[in-house]
Amino acid sequence: MESFAIRSYLDAVTRLNNLPISDTREWFFHHGMLFRSRAKWWADFGTRHATHEGLDIARFRNRAGRVQWLDTKTRVPAMAGGEVINVCGDFLGRSVIVKHARDEVSRLVSVYSHITVPSGIMPGIRVEKGDVIGQIADTTGKKSGIHCHLHISIMEIANHIPDRDITWEIMGEPDLKGVKLYNPMVW
Ligand SMILES: [Zn+2]
């Protein structure tokens, strides 16, 4: 993946959903949305149970100068080409794990969370950069009162962990041997 892929990814989200954004810099990131943050950006703005494993994408300033949130109509593109290796549940929706590269030790994956996933997106299929892999899930009924958003993680996962075992049980355990997290913002 190219460096600072997040910029081109935010542009891809903008284009795919025809969002009224004039520039990538119009996306807003509360501290709690950033990688490794322990802050919540919802409810009481308290402390998370664990440090954040990725980046939350949710808010931008539109061309009219108003703050706008992504909603459940927002379609989610793949960051880069790769193979879907697992689809699993998360606490707000579902997650899709896409493998982009592999060597003798590990594979590099991107993870898209809190989304709904169409039936055609399943382990074994190939996706290209920009392909739609899901849509942001409706989280309004959740007790946390969290606004719907897209969570992105970039991880390296050791080859001894089988594809089907790559779920939040292991991805949410950053101290677990075999999972290395990257900051999607500077990838
Ligand atoms: Zn998140």
Side-chain angles (χ1 to χ4, degrees), residues 69-89:
W69 291 84
L70 294 182
D71 58 28
T72 54
K73 292 192 291 292
T74 310
R75 295 185 296 160
V76 176
M79 262 188 144
E83 182 196 343
V84 174
I85 56 170
N86 206 7
V87 178
C88 65

Side-chain angles (χ1 to χ4, degrees), residues 44-72:
D44 59 0
F45 292 92
T47 306
R48 288 175 179 265
H49 296 301
T51 58
H52 194 209
E53 313 88 349
L55 178 72
D56 290 337
I57 301 171
R59 308 179 82 186
F60 60 89
R61 178 167 35 220
N62 66 23
R63 284 199 205 96
R66 291 228 173 85
V67 173
Q68 199 173 317
W69 291 84
L70 294 182
D71 58 28
T72 54

Side-chain angles (χ1 to χ4, degrees), residues 32-34 41-42 48 52-57 91-92 113-114 146 149-153 168:
M33 294 173 169
L34 301 177
W41 54 268
W42 62 94
R48 288 175 179 265
H52 194 209
E53 313 88 349
L55 178 72
D56 290 337
I57 301 171
F91 76 107
L92 293 172
S113 300
H114 316 327
I146 194 165
H149 65 281
L150 170 63
H151 170 103
I152 297 282
S153 279
W168 281 105

Side-chain angles (χ1 to χ4, degrees), residues 6 28-42 48 50-57 109 111 149-156 168 171-175 179-187:
I6 196 67
F28 292 133
F29 295 95
H30 177 274
H31 169 61
M33 294 173 169
L34 301 177
F35 182 62
R36 291 287 196 218
S37 175
R38 285 201 72 104
K40 284 184 188 174
W41 54 268
W42 62 94
R48 288 175 179 265
T51 58
H52 194 209
E53 313 88 349
L55 178 72
D56 290 337
I57 301 171
V109 305
V111 183
H149 65 281
L150 170 63
H151 170 103
I152 297 282
S153 279
I154 307 288
M155 303 186 184
E156 210 179 309
W168 281 105
M171 296 189 292
E173 273 304 328
D175 296 332
V179 179
K180 202 190 284 178
L181 302 180
Y182 288 86
N183 183 351
M185 198 63 118
V186 295
W187 182 257

